[in-house]
Amino acid sequence: MGKTRGRRFRQIPFSPTGLEQRCDEEDDPDEEPAAELLEKVQHPSAEVREYACASISKLLQEQQAIPAFLQRDVVRCLGPLLMDYSLAVRETAAGALRNLSACGGFEVCDDMVSKDIMTPLVALLKECSTGLDANQLSPEKRIEMDKNYIEDIANEAINLLWNVCECSSTAVHIFNKEGCLEAVLLYMKRFSTNVDLAISAANCLQAVTEDNPDLLSSFNASSQQVLETVMLCPESTMKHILLKTLTAGIIWNIKGTVPPGSLGSMINAILKIFSESLAIDAGETIIRMKEAEKSRLKLAVEGATEENMSDVTENCVLSEDYDLEEIPKGKVKKGENDIFDFLPPDQRELKEVTALLMAQQTALEIIVNMCCSEDPSDDEWEELSSSDESDFMENSYSDGSGLLMSPLCLSDEVNSAFLNNLIPKKCVTPEQLLTLCEAGMDSSNASVKVNIVSILGISGSILAKGQDTAEMLKVIGKFLLEVAMKESSLVVAGEALDALFDVFADGKEAEKAAVEIRLLPSLKEFQPVFKMRMRKEGKGKYSTDQLCVLDNVKMNLRRFIAYQETLGKSPTCSKEL
């Protein structure tokens, strides 16, 4: 949905509802054919319907089982059960449909929407948001109930909604039309008592708000206040950090609703959240959580026998090699992503670690979008192209910003917020960032490469303002020079040149590094090659907009070379030489 991040299918965020309790008591549901289970969901007994839905839910975790259920119209069989009089049936039916949407892929999700899964799903979400009548529970269930059925049903339903909206534009349209925003925001407001539900709602809303201008008018002052309250919540657990990160992403998606005068403070608040998330050392957190888990398990079994102690040790989730996917014996293996809210309560440390990693991944993804989603307008290009060259040089290199083309790369608000929150220093270390960039340049997608060199340029421009950063700037400069000179795509090569302009625009460390990597001679040698490539490859291969950008890059290359030549004549640089 985002500019640099297309809708992607998340890997198997399974619903475990009812699986272990029911499946341990009955025969293995894998042996039950799809036809028999779908017949049982129509049984008069709520207990039988619940068992059938739980069995289907488990089978749908295996992709090879999905076609048999699709052939028997599983969506239309389970859809009405979302409004079943039994709350337990609603929960297990929602869980089964959630697994179908997670494991079935885009086509299955589209098929679910075409078979009108949204009608009962929207009704269920709205009913959960207003509260369900506890009298709907049987007397036995009311006695045995040790969980909040309303919120558990809502969590299954919101994850199902998230899955189908990520895969189907029709589902997003229905979300807008049916006013689902209010219900989702109500779930987010539960963050103080049910952070798992709030995270599910935030994940869904972040997906739905991406590239969805039709929804913007639904965000009034009240809804924006909810988002602000969530983003500023005082809790500091890893789950709450994830929730705040997701909420910051939602606010970025709806920035079009923010008054221009408040845009700067809003972006600063968003990047402050990202900065706090990225500042946490995930490796240290894993080690600390492993020790916490060991201590907790040790206290829990102090009176146990040595054999029982051994069993507990074997079931330790955070193993010695920190394999986060090891699951205790007897548990159903979950998917690779979005697992923390499905793990049993005794795996609290794993949930915290997973939440942190998801928060940091989300923050980095949104930062990439923030860096690369703001194309220069025609007016900006016209203003730059028509400006006097001497004025351009003075404004670009003497203002101390360190960003040669910051108006064309980032808005002033985003650029200032990056500097204020020192984001490039917290994404990863410079060495890690360079390793990531080298791996990314192996991609066959030109847009990915453009994003990579843009981020590297921003990071380098920040490093240029620091002290003792010349060595790292040399590494970044060599990398960008190589991309500019060897990249087959002129668009990527031009972006690499822009990034070089950003990194070496200003600063003593940048001047020192530029001399040592022979930046000026290299660019002077490359300048005619770049011009020749534009003449030979430009027409017919690139769009008018791309050619406009490349023309400006060519002009700025000439200006940058002239600027570097003036630096070479200064007393300081002469002494360096």
Side-chain angles (χ1 to χ4, degrees):
M1 291 182 177
K3 179 172 182 181
T4 61
R5 177 170 64 89
R7 288 183 183 174
R8 67 192 190 284
F9 194 73
R10 294 169 290 105
Q11 293 186 356
I12 314 179
F14 291 137
S15 164
T17 302
L19 293 184
E20 294 175 278
Q21 178 182 353
R22 288 291 175 182
C23 296
D24 288 345
E25 296 172 358
E26 305 287 346
D27 293 335
D28 185 355
D30 287 322
E31 299 176 359
E32 293 277 2
E36 290 185 24
L37 287 174
L38 289 174
E39 183 179 350
K40 287 182 179 179
V41 301
Q42 309 297 328
H43 197 277
S45 168
E47 294 289 326
V48 174
R49 295 198 302 276
E50 180 187 357
Y51 163 74
C53 289
S55 301
I56 293 171
S57 182
K58 182 177 181 181
L59 287 175
L60 289 175
Q61 294 179 18
E62 304 296 333
Q63 289 189 338
Q64 62 268 24
I66 292 177
F69 283 97
L70 293 177
Q71 291 171 6
R72 291 166 176 81
D73 214 1
V74 63
V75 177
R76 288 197 171 100
C77 289
L78 294 181
L81 297 184
L82 294 179
M83 300 303 293
D84 195 276
Y85 74 84
S86 165
L87 300 188
V89 173
R90 292 189 185 193
E91 183 181 2
T92 50
L97 289 166
R98 172 185 176 181
N99 285 352
L100 176 63
S101 65
C103 302
F106 288 94
E107 292 183 359
V108 170
C109 286
D110 276 332
D111 184 62
M112 294 175 74
V113 174
S114 68
K115 291 181 177 176
D116 201 26
I117 192 59
M118 292 296 288
T119 295
L121 178 58
V122 169
L124 177 62
L125 286 164
K126 291 184 176 180
E127 188 169 333
C128 287
S129 69
T130 57
L132 293 170
D133 187 354
N135 290 328
Q136 288 179 284
L137 294 173
S138 66
E140 294 79 14
K141 286 289 182 184
R142 286 203 299 270
I143 294 173
E144 299 174 1
M145 189 173 66
D146 59 353
K147 62 177 184 174
N148 189 323
Y149 262 89
I150 297 174
E151 294 185 353
D152 288 343
I153 293 171
N155 192 53
E156 297 290 354
I158 201 72
N159 275 280
L160 171 57
L161 180 66
W162 176 20
N163 289 348
V164 295
C165 284
E166 277 209 322
C167 300
S168 168
S169 58
T170 303
V172 174
H173 174 73
I174 296 172
F175 182 101
N176 298 343
K177 180 181 177 182
E178 295 296 328
C180 296
L181 175 63
E182 182 178 357
V184 175
L185 287 172
L186 284 172
Y187 299 147
M188 289 185 65
K189 288 174 68 175
R190 304 290 294 179
F191 69 89
S192 59
T193 57
N194 191 336
V195 67
D196 292 336
L197 176 60
I199 288 173
S200 296
N203 269 312
C204 178
L205 193 55
Q206 189 201 12
V208 171
T209 52
E210 288 185 271
D211 292 340
N212 187 2
D214 294 339
L215 186 61
L216 295 184
S217 60
S218 301
F219 283 91
N220 53 30
S222 175
S223 56
Q224 291 177 346
Q225 181 63 43
V226 172
L227 296 176
E228 182 179 346
T229 300
V230 175
M231 193 170 73
L232 299 178
C233 70
E235 288 84 353
S236 59
T237 69
M238 300 300 106
K239 285 187 177 182
H240 285 90
I241 289 173
L242 172 58
L243 176 62
K244 290 189 281 189
T245 301
L246 291 168
T247 306
I250 295 169
I251 294 176
W252 171 253
N253 288 343
I254 65 168
K255 59 185 179 296
T257 66
V258 178
S262 303
L263 189 60
S265 59
M266 181 270 286
I267 294 175
N268 262 305
I270 289 174
L271 286 178
K272 183 175 184 293
I273 295 295
F274 294 164
S275 178
E276 292 172 352
S277 171
L278 295 172
I280 300 173
D281 190 313
E284 291 183 1
T285 302
I286 290 173
I287 295 173
R288 179 165 50 84
M289 288 296 172
K290 170 181 165 52
E291 294 303 318
E293 182 190 51
K294 281 184 176 180
S295 299
R296 178 174 58 83
L297 294 176
K298 182 178 180 181
L299 290 174
V301 296
E302 278 185 340
T305 64
E306 184 176 351
E307 181 180 353
N308 289 337
M309 188 69 170
S310 175
D311 290 339
V312 172
T313 302
E314 289 179 6
N315 287 343
C316 182
V317 177
L318 295 176
S319 60
E320 290 297 327
D321 58 356
Y322 310 132
D323 181 2
L324 298 184
E325 290 191 350
E326 183 175 345
I327 303 298
K329 295 178 180 178
K331 305 297 183 184
V332 178
K333 189 178 188 301
K334 307 298 187 292
E336 295 180 3
N337 294 325
D338 312 313
I339 64 170
F340 70 91
D341 55 336
F342 309 121
L343 296 171
D346 62 345
Q347 297 182 8
R348 64 190 70 165
E349 292 85 8
L350 179 58
K351 292 181 180 182
E352 290 291 300
V353 169
T354 308
L356 172 61
L357 295 176
M358 291 176 66
Q360 293 183 334
Q361 176 184 341
T362 301
L364 289 171
E365 288 177 350
I366 298 172
I367 286 171
V368 170
N369 282 343
M370 295 176 78
C371 291
C372 307
S373 65
E374 303 202 8
D375 294 328
S377 66
D378 292 339
D379 291 339
E380 287 175 316
W381 283 116
E382 181 68 25
E383 181 180 353
L384 179 61
S385 300
S386 61
S387 64
D388 181 77
E389 183 168 328
S390 61
D391 292 340
F392 175 85
M393 295 299 294
E394 179 179 356
N395 294 335
S396 296
Y397 297 109
S398 303
D399 63 358
S401 69
L403 295 175
L404 171 66
M405 298 180 65
S406 59
L408 301 181
C409 297
L410 296 172
S411 69
D412 290 338
E413 294 87 356
V414 173
N415 184 46
S416 298
F418 268 90
L419 295 174
N420 292 340
N421 293 282
L422 303 175
I423 288 295
K425 294 184 179 181
K426 299 176 180 179
C427 291
V428 285
T429 65
E431 293 80 4
Q432 291 170 326
L433 179 61
L434 190 62
T435 301
L436 178 65
C437 291
E438 290 173 343
M441 292 308 293
D442 291 333
S443 172
S444 59
N445 190 318
S447 296
V448 172
K449 296 180 180 181
V450 166
N451 293 339
I452 286 171
V453 295
S454 297
I455 294 172
L456 197 58
I458 294 168
S459 302
S461 68
I462 301 299
L463 290 171
K465 293 179 176 298
Q467 296 180 350
D468 301 323
T469 58
E471 288 302 313
M472 192 59 211
L473 291 174
K474 286 166 57 178
V475 176
I476 292 176
K478 289 178 180 178
F479 178 86
L480 292 174
L481 269 175
E482 184 175 3
V483 173
M485 294 177 177
K486 296 183 178 180
E487 173 57 43
S488 60
S489 167
L490 271 177
V491 173
V492 178
E495 190 68 34
L497 287 172
D498 266 347
L500 280 168
F501 303 157
D502 289 347
V503 174
F504 296 98
D506 192 23
K508 297 299 181 183
E509 295 294 313
E511 291 177 15
K512 179 180 177 181
V515 171
E516 294 187 10
I517 66 172
R518 302 186 75 252
L519 178 64
L520 178 57
S522 298
L523 289 178
K524 291 177 71 173
E525 182 180 346
F526 178 64
Q527 186 179 23
V529 177
F530 187 70
K531 290 181 179 178
M532 181 183 66
R533 286 192 61 189
M534 284 190 62
R535 286 196 301 269
K536 289 185 175 181
E537 303 174 26
K539 292 183 179 180
K541 189 173 182 180
Y542 298 100
S543 68
T544 303
D545 290 340
Q546 289 173 326
L547 290 175
C548 178
V549 172
L550 289 170
D551 281 336
N552 279 277
V553 171
K554 181 177 66 174
M555 177 182 64
N556 293 329
L557 175 59
R558 174 172 57 85
R559 293 171 170 172
F560 184 78
I561 289 174
Y563 169 70
Q564 287 289 315
E565 288 177 334
T566 62
L567 289 179
K569 297 175 183 178
S570 68
T572 302
C573 286
S574 298
K575 188 178 298 185
E576 293 285 351
L577 291 169

